[in-house]
Amino acid sequence: MDIDLSDVPYRSKALLEEWVQEFREQGHSIAGSLDVALQDGSDGADTGLVIVHLKNEYADVYMQPQGLDDPLWEATLTPRPGDLNLTPYQLAGLAAELVVAGNLCTFLQFKSLDWDRASGTRGISHPTATN
């Protein structure tokens, strides 16, 4: 099944920057830094990539849709060169940063679902829970 790329609702770098700013304005505390980087799509479209640079660890968390034309998001934690020894406070700090990164990824997924629906370029169907 081929996807007509003209019907794919791209999330541009500018749009992702708006969403990240909205997340910040909601009062979420980000200990490290947060960037939206340019990521070229398969046809040269500006699709954006959200990156959380962790303060308490030499690692980054990359966030992006799971695939082309997919409103569901995923996060990738970059690898470390070796073991990491932490005090209880450092471990708690790292855990707090990962919770914020998880909240941001969830926020981006919900924004993406709403934006895809509002774009009118495709219908999104979700399985419903049964009791």
Side-chain angles (χ1 to χ4, degrees):
M1 174 184 199
D2 292 334
I3 296 175
D4 180 1
L5 294 179
S6 65
D7 290 337
V8 176
Y10 285 104
R11 291 152 205 90
S12 69
K13 181 179 185 285
L15 179 63
L16 293 177
E17 286 171 341
E18 287 178 30
W19 291 353
V20 165
Q21 184 60 32
E22 183 179 340
F23 182 80
R24 287 178 192 258
E25 289 171 356
Q26 290 179 356
H28 297 278
S29 177
I30 299 167
S33 61
L34 184 55
D35 293 315
V36 179
L38 182 62
Q39 180 184 23
D40 291 333
S42 60
D43 69 344
D46 166 14
T47 60
L49 176 71
V50 179
I51 306 168
V52 176
H53 305 283
L54 300 176
K55 178 181 177 184
N56 292 298
E57 175 55 44
Y58 297 109
D60 297 321
V61 180
Y62 295 92
M63 299 173 198
Q64 62 187 357
Q66 290 180 352
L68 179 66
D69 198 27
D70 194 336
L72 302 180
W73 282 64
E74 65 185 5
T76 303
L77 182 62
T78 59
R80 290 194 27 78
D83 292 345
L84 177 64
N85 296 316
L86 300 171
T87 67
Y89 303 108
Q90 291 169 322
L91 181 60
L94 176 59
E97 284 191 274
L98 292 174
V99 166
V100 172
N103 290 344
L104 174 58
C105 195
T106 300
F107 176 83
L108 293 170
Q109 180 168 302
F110 280 117
K111 293 297 286 187
S112 185
L113 286 166
D114 284 344
W115 185 77
D116 281 0
R117 238 181 258 121
S119 73
T121 58
R122 67 187 185 97
I124 301 171
S125 61
H126 300 284
T128 56
T130 57
N131 293 335

